[in-house]
Amino acid sequence: MSTTTRWLDDEEQQAWRAWIDVNAQLTARLNRELQAASGLSISDYEILVALTDRDVPDRTLRMYELGERLQWEKSRVSKQVSRMEARGLVERRHCADDRRGAFVDLTDAGQAAIDAAAPGHVALVRELFFDGLNADQVRSLGRFATTVLGRLAD
């Protein structure tokens, strides 16, 4: 059975390419600025944010939980945690119940790093992203993201 490809029309193609460009340029800019200001990469920051989320009261997550939260492959999580562990931002702790499992614990140095980096990072996100939008656009963006995330979860 043959299927016909439903190509993007001009408006959809323009919107899709703009989305791809915004995502790439915004991520690159945030990464450059974050590294220049704090010495943290965007990957470092994402892990630190995950470990300091409100639903992580003890500042620790299993490696697989960290990977699920970030949507990262196991090897990427492991390599990034190793780099951060070498800098004293996190510690890896073996799981007594699961010999193959491990926990990632936020260190005091990791907490201090995110505490120092977060204000400047948030200010840059506001400047580059939110300051150019009105309240209706922010709500629309939230609905858009929620819709797409829902489709991805299906």
Side-chain angles (χ1 to χ4, degrees):
M1 172 183 232
S2 98
T3 59
T4 304
T5 300
R6 197 173 132 227
W7 297 104
L8 301 178
D9 64 29
D10 290 344
E11 190 172 17
E12 291 168 331
Q13 182 77 337
Q14 181 182 9
W16 176 245
R17 287 184 179 182
W19 171 255
I20 295 297
D21 289 346
V22 163
N23 188 37
Q25 289 184 39
L26 186 61
T27 300
R29 175 79 176 272
L30 290 172
N31 191 46
R32 281 193 309 272
E33 299 282 338
L34 188 61
Q35 283 195 326
S38 69
L40 296 174
S41 70
I42 201 80
S43 296
D44 294 335
Y45 193 82
E46 288 181 37
I47 287 178
L48 295 175
V49 166
L51 291 171
T52 56
D53 273 349
R54 287 185 181 102
D55 65 338
V56 183
D58 54 356
R59 303 181 336 167
T60 188
L61 287 169
R62 295 280 301 263
M63 288 282 281
Y64 80 87
E65 291 174 314
L66 187 56
E68 286 176 356
R69 281 174 182 255
L70 301 175
Q71 296 292 296
W72 289 4
E73 298 295 325
K74 183 178 176 181
S75 63
R76 180 178 178 194
V77 174
S78 182
K79 288 176 186 175
Q80 186 63 38
V81 166
S82 293
R83 286 191 286 267
M84 293 174 72
E85 192 173 26
R87 293 168 33 225
L89 301 172
V90 297
E91 291 177 346
R92 193 181 317 224
R93 181 170 42 91
H94 293 285
C95 178
D97 299 343
D98 178 0
R99 293 186 330 158
R100 295 181 307 163
F103 290 95
V104 179
D105 299 328
L106 182 68
T107 64
D108 290 341
Q111 183 70 58
I114 194 165
D115 288 346
H121 181 69
V122 170
L124 185 61
V125 168
R126 181 168 299 288
E127 175 191 335
L128 296 176
F129 197 82
F130 288 105
D131 284 351
L133 303 175
N134 64 40
D136 287 338
Q137 290 172 315
V138 171
R139 279 190 293 279
S140 292
L141 178 63
R143 286 191 303 270
F144 158 77
T146 300
T147 299
V148 173
L149 288 170
R151 291 178 60 87
L152 289 170
D154 288 344

